[in-house]
Structure formats: structure tokens, C-alpha cells
Amino acid sequence: MKTESSNQALTIQLRYCFEDENLHSMNAEVFNECERQFIKVIKSTEKYFEDTLQIKIKPRKEGSLIDVFTVAVNNPEIRTTALALITIFATKFFDSKFSSAKHKTDETAKKLENLQSIKEQIKAGSLTYNDFDYIASNDKDLRKQKSIFFKSAKKETEITKIETTTVTYSKIQPIIIVVERKDFNSFIITETTEKTEETQEAKIYIVAPVLIQGKKSPAWRGIFEDIPIDFKISDKDFLQQVYGKQIKFSNGTFINCELKTVSTSNIETEETKTSREVINVTNYGEDNQPIKTIGHRKKSKKIDTTQQLNMFTDKNLETE
């Protein structure tokens, strides 16, 4: 998407429309919070390219209440590509569909797998519209700021709709989006937390085992990949052997296990909590010592009594 560079800046107009057409003012706190969230999401695109955006605001207009922003990219080598990405962000800000887990193809996902990869391709000008769409759809800053913006806008009862006009170049038609008040809720994240889960084979050195069974037992402590961690163990066979003193721990004891990690992130506060659980312990030992396997009881298969009853019923029917 690399074309001849342009000195033209991106122009974005926000218009707050009111029930009373002669009204040209609104609650200052709501207005400032909305503007702050919109500017933050535009500035957040800086992480994708090595440049600092210049965002300026023109004198406000009437016609309800209109703000006009201009966004300029200093570096001429990435200007066209960067402005195209910002345009996608500005338009998706007013798209009610939250699609943070949007995946195009494996090829696209691999192509845009990390921030450095995106930076390099923006510099090369090799990204397509679909690539920009993928980046914006998976951007957490965009989702968060959009939600806070419309949550704030809802507080101003006079607002009936918000209209945005994005102008890139003079030869291209402006992008006009209108969001009615009745649709504000669809922009707001009701579930403020997101969970991600990962299960992996792990070798954990035990620092502080829990040797006594109890309803409110403290977490085990260990070292995984040179990082101290707290975790719980749900492998009943392993725990039974620990509580029965069949397994003893000393300095350097480790377990090879299946470790489940659950990260819970608060989208608005950006706080993340991590919990870890050992689902299954395969074996244990000490460095330079023979590894000892954990004996697991075989789980008996449950008989489908309903199916068994049906079989006998069918036979009875056949004999009648």
C-alpha cells in the first residue's frame, strides 16, 4: 500500500447532535472525557510505527457541537501507510462490533504475529486493507477507549447521536458514520474482564510444598523457567501420595507436569491476575537422580444405563 507520499494530514470531525437543534453546548466533564479517549486511541497507533503523531484541533463549530482534529505523520517514508492505519482505527472506533479475537488466515496471523513485524511492514509499505483491519480488530487499546468513550457519552442526556467524518485525501470520498443514541450500549464492554488459558508441559522446582490436607490449604510455591510462582495441584493421586508421606521433598526436588495458566485481564484498568494449576503430575525427582513415576489409578468407564435400558427394551419389543 505504498504510494507517492502526501503532505496532507488526516482530518477527523466529531459532531455531537442534540435533541434541541439550537443547543451548541454540553456537559464539560463528559465532553472532555470523550475527547480524551478519542485522542488516546489515535495516539495509541504510534506503537505500530517509529514516529510521533501531531494531533491538532481546529476552532470548534456550531451545528450542534463540532470538533475538528487534524492528524499528521512527520516521516514521509511511512506517511501514507500510517495514515491508512489511523483511518481504519478512526472508523472502527465508531463500529459497534467488538471483534478482538478476529482471525483472517494463518498466513495473516503469522505475518502480523508481533509488534516488530507490523513496524517493519509499515516501513516497507507492504500491508493491505485486510491487514489493517486485522490489526485494528485485535487492538485492546481501541476496544477499551471506545467503550469508555460511549459510556461517558451516555451520561449526557441531551446527545441524540454522534456523527463522525474522516477525510484522508481530497480525491477520496469522506467516510461518514452516524451512531444513534439507542446503539451506544453496543459499543460498551459489559464484561470488563478477559480470560486467556494456556496448558503446557512444565518442569517445576518445588520451593514450598503443602504437606497437610485442608480445605483452605495455601498455594504451593515453586520455580518455573527461573521465575518464582504460586500454584495449586489438582492431581488427586499425586496429592494422596504426598499426604501419605510416600513422596518426600528436599532441596532440588522437581515435578514434571501439565501446567494450566489462566490470565484474567481487566480491560479498563489494565490489571492482570494470573493463576496456575498443576492438572497432572507425570513424575518427580532431583537433578542427577533417577526420576520416579507417579502411579495413577485408571478411571473406570461409566456405563450408559439409559442406552443399556433401551437395548433391553428393544429386545423385549422384538420378542412380543
Side-chain angles (χ1 to χ4, degrees):
M1 216 167 157
K2 197 168 187 178
T3 59
E4 186 179 349
S5 63
S6 170
N7 292 323
Q8 213 168 357
L10 181 69
T11 301
I12 305 169
Q13 176 177 290
L14 295 186
R15 180 186 177 201
Y16 302 88
C17 303
F18 310 117
E19 190 75 43
D20 183 355
E21 295 181 358
N22 296 316
L23 184 64
H24 307 298
S25 62
M26 62 184 281
N27 182 287
E29 290 180 337
V30 171
F31 177 80
N32 287 338
E33 183 62 17
C34 287
E35 302 294 277
R36 189 171 75 90
Q37 295 305 324
F38 185 71
I39 291 171
K40 279 180 72 174
V41 84
I42 298 300
K43 288 286 287 182
S44 74
T45 62
E46 290 180 344
K47 62 181 175 280
Y48 295 115
F49 45 83
E50 296 172 357
D51 198 7
T52 302
L53 296 177
Q54 289 185 351
I55 302 178
K56 296 182 180 180
I57 188 165
K58 293 183 177 181
R60 293 192 178 98
K61 300 179 181 179
E62 291 187 354
S64 295
L65 182 62
I66 300 174
D67 262 358
V68 181
F69 300 91
T70 59
V71 184
V73 177
N74 296 320
N75 187 346
E77 293 184 3
I78 63 167
R79 183 174 294 141
T80 300
T81 307
L83 288 179
L85 177 64
I86 297 165
T87 300
I88 295 292
F89 267 68
T91 53
K92 278 200 171 288
F93 193 90
F94 296 95
D95 178 359
S96 63
K97 297 175 183 177
F98 285 110
S99 50
S100 64
K102 189 174 184 179
H103 295 289
K104 292 290 183 183
T105 62
D106 291 339
E107 184 180 350
T108 302
K110 187 175 181 181
K111 179 181 178 182
L112 306 171
E113 63 183 350
N114 56 52
L115 191 58
Q116 186 57 37
S117 174
I118 295 172
K119 282 183 177 181
E120 289 171 357
Q121 291 178 85
I122 283 180
K123 194 172 183 178
S126 60
L127 297 179
T128 65
Y129 175 87
N130 287 337
D131 294 331
F132 292 137
D133 183 75
Y134 178 89
I135 294 168
S137 295
N138 289 277
D139 190 282
K140 290 185 178 181
D141 290 327
L142 175 60
R143 297 180 72 233
K144 182 180 73 172
Q145 263 80 58
K146 177 163 62 173
S147 179
I148 299 173
F149 177 98
F150 281 97
K151 191 181 290 185
S152 299
K154 266 189 70 178
K155 295 177 183 178
E156 175 54 89
T157 57
E158 296 288 346
I159 295 177
T160 58
K161 61 184 177 182
I162 297 175
E163 180 182 298
T164 174
T165 304
T166 304
V167 181
T168 49
Y169 306 109
S170 57
K171 294 181 181 179
I172 299 178
Q173 283 289 103
I175 302 170
I176 301 173
I177 303 173
V178 179
V179 182
E180 301 287 344
R181 183 181 186 86
K182 62 182 177 62
D183 297 321
F184 284 7
N185 281 340
S186 61
F187 289 77
I188 299 169
I189 301 171
T190 52
E191 292 291 335
T192 57
T193 57
E194 285 186 333
K195 283 188 177 182
T196 56
E197 186 175 305
E198 178 189 12
T199 303
Q200 63 189 120
E201 296 297 321
K203 180 179 183 179
I204 303 174
Y205 284 90
I206 305 301
V207 175
V210 178
L211 304 178
I212 301 175
Q213 185 175 7
K215 290 183 178 180
K216 294 183 179 180
S217 299
W220 288 57
R221 290 184 179 179
I223 296 176
F224 171 55
E225 295 182 344
D226 297 325
I227 299 173
I229 63 169
D230 290 344
F231 59 95
K232 69 175 184 178
I233 296 180
S234 57
D235 185 329
K236 292 181 180 179
D237 292 328
F238 173 76
L239 290 176
Q240 197 63 41
Q241 293 176 55
V242 171
Y243 300 146
K245 298 182 180 180
Q246 296 170 269
I247 299 175
K248 296 184 179 181
F249 299 89
S250 59
N251 186 26
T253 299
F254 63 83
I255 58 173
N256 288 313
C257 60
E258 188 178 357
L259 178 66
K260 182 171 76 172
T261 303
V262 178
S263 298
T264 305
S265 301
N266 187 302
I267 297 168
E268 293 188 352
T269 64
E270 297 182 348
E271 293 178 343
T272 300
K273 294 182 180 179
T274 301
S275 63
R276 296 180 177 87
E277 177 185 1
V278 169
I279 301 170
N280 181 68
V281 180
T282 308
N283 49 53
Y284 71 100
E286 297 176 23
D287 289 334
N288 302 319
Q289 295 292 329
I291 291 177
K292 299 176 183 178
T293 304
I294 300 297
H296 287 88
R297 291 168 294 179
K298 291 183 179 179
K299 294 180 180 179
S300 59
K301 292 183 179 180
K302 292 183 179 180
I303 299 174
D304 190 341
T305 54
T306 304
Q307 185 178 3
Q308 194 175 47
L309 179 63
N310 287 340
M311 288 173 64
F312 285 117
T313 304
D314 291 342
K315 287 182 178 180
N316 290 337
L317 288 171
E318 289 175 3
T319 56
E320 286 180 359

